[in-house]
């Protein structure tokens, strides 16, 4: 497995996700869809802004975690899978064309 180096803002966003132990049991907040805010954050991330990507991580961390938890059944496995998904998304953000919503991509 290769090592991925990330900047401080992205590392902080991922660390925040990994420490999110108090996720609510209720419904997840409604998805923002592809709002102008999301499109702007994606464009900034594609231009190299790790801060913008960190904001996207913060926006979607709960839904990604819950999806992984539903699929895997284990909190530890779900945390690992969610972190892997965000690292992969960062590495491939340049290839995001907007054919799907960022959340489902």
């Amino acid at each position: 497995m290769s090592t991925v180096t990330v900047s401080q803002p992205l590392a902080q966003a991922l660390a925040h996700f990994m420490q999110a132990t108090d996720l609510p049991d209720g419904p997840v907040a409604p998805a923002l869809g592809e709002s102008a805010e999301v499109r702007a954050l994606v464009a900034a991330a594609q231009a190299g802004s790790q801060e913008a990507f960190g904001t996207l991580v913060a926006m979607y961390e709960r839904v990604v975690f819950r999806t992984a938890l539903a699929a895997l059944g284990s909190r530890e496995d779900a945390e690992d899978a969610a972190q892997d998904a965000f690292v992969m998304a960062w590495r491939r953000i340049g290839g995001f064309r907007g054919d799907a919503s960022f959340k489902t991509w």
Side-chain angles (χ1 to χ4, degrees), residues 38-68:
V38 171
R39 289 191 305 271
L41 288 167
V42 169
Q46 288 177 320
S49 172
Q50 294 176 349
E51 183 177 344
F53 188 78
T55 300
L56 288 166
V57 169
M59 290 171 72
Y60 294 114
E61 66 186 352
R62 289 183 181 190
V63 71
V64 170
F65 171 78
R66 285 176 172 245
T67 300

Side-chain angles (χ1 to χ4, degrees), residues 17 64 68 72 76-86:
F17 171 76
V64 170
L72 301 171
E76 281 186 17
D77 290 343
E79 288 171 348
D80 289 344
Q83 182 177 14
D84 290 347
F86 285 122

Side-chain angles (χ1 to χ4, degrees), residues 76-99:
E76 281 186 17
D77 290 343
E79 288 171 348
D80 289 344
Q83 182 177 14
D84 290 347
F86 285 122
V87 169
M88 185 180 300
W90 171 249
R91 294 171 98 186
R92 297 183 179 175
I93 191 72
F96 178 69
R97 298 183 316 245
D99 295 339

Side-chain angles (χ1 to χ4, degrees), residues 17-31:
F17 171 76
M18 294 306 293
Q19 294 172 0
T21 58
D22 60 341
L23 296 175
D25 292 329
V28 175

